[in-house]
Amino acid sequence: MRSVFTVFHDGQFWVGVYEIHEDGLVRAARHVFGAEPNNAELAAFAAGPEFSALSREAHAAPAVPAARRPSARLTAKRAAKLAKKLQDDVGPGTAAQRALRESVAERVSENKAARKRREAAEAQHRRALARARSRARHRGRS
């Protein structure tokens, strides 16, 4: 199992993405820092409970298959281009982005189902109160 923690600027905030690579699958979770974190803040984050919570969230995230690239013969120019691209690569990989997107979608659907259950229970409660008031009025008790 290999894990990678990457900090990058997404255009608005500084974000840390924790990726777990195992058996050709990727799981990921993200933490929004807001302002640019300095080295001391990153060290405190890595040693603190927030990183443990981020790790638990990443382990609970759905696994996404990591993209496998076809292995073809590389020319010297292509190898140099790939090496430069790997050095310039900032931010999470596409598999991590898919894992984050799936975990967000899963949370959204769970929240939607919970909200529907809550609203149905509230509607049932309101209906029961209205029926009780109606019965009381019918019996002459205001």
Side-chain angles (χ1 to χ4, degrees), residues 34-69:
E36 181 177 8
N38 58 27
N39 289 341
E41 291 170 344
L42 286 175
F45 174 77
E50 293 116 356
F51 190 77
S52 299
L54 184 67
S55 176
R56 282 192 301 277
E57 186 180 333
H59 281 287
V64 174
R68 296 269 186 227
R69 295 190 178 165

Side-chain angles (χ1 to χ4, degrees), residues 18-88:
Y18 183 60
E19 303 174 37
I20 301 171
H21 299 266
E22 59 184 343
D23 301 328
L25 300 173
V26 178
R27 298 173 188 269
R30 73 182 190 134
H31 176 78
V32 178
F33 287 104
E36 181 177 8
N38 58 27
N39 289 341
E41 291 170 344
L42 286 175
F45 174 77
E50 293 116 356
F51 190 77
S52 299
L54 184 67
S55 176
R56 282 192 301 277
E57 186 180 333
H59 281 287
V64 174
R68 296 269 186 227
R69 295 190 178 165
S71 58
R73 280 188 36 209
L74 293 178
T75 63
K77 281 187 178 181
R78 183 170 298 277
K81 281 183 185 179
L82 285 175
K84 182 170 177 18
K85 184 178 179 182
L86 287 175
Q87 284 180 340
D88 293 341

Side-chain angles (χ1 to χ4, degrees), residues 90-112:
V90 292
T94 56
Q97 289 169 343
R98 283 196 317 269
L100 285 172
R101 194 169 34 246
E102 285 187 14
S103 68
V104 166
E106 186 178 309
R107 265 199 314 268
V108 165
S109 64
E110 288 172 1
N111 288 342
K112 187 176 182 180

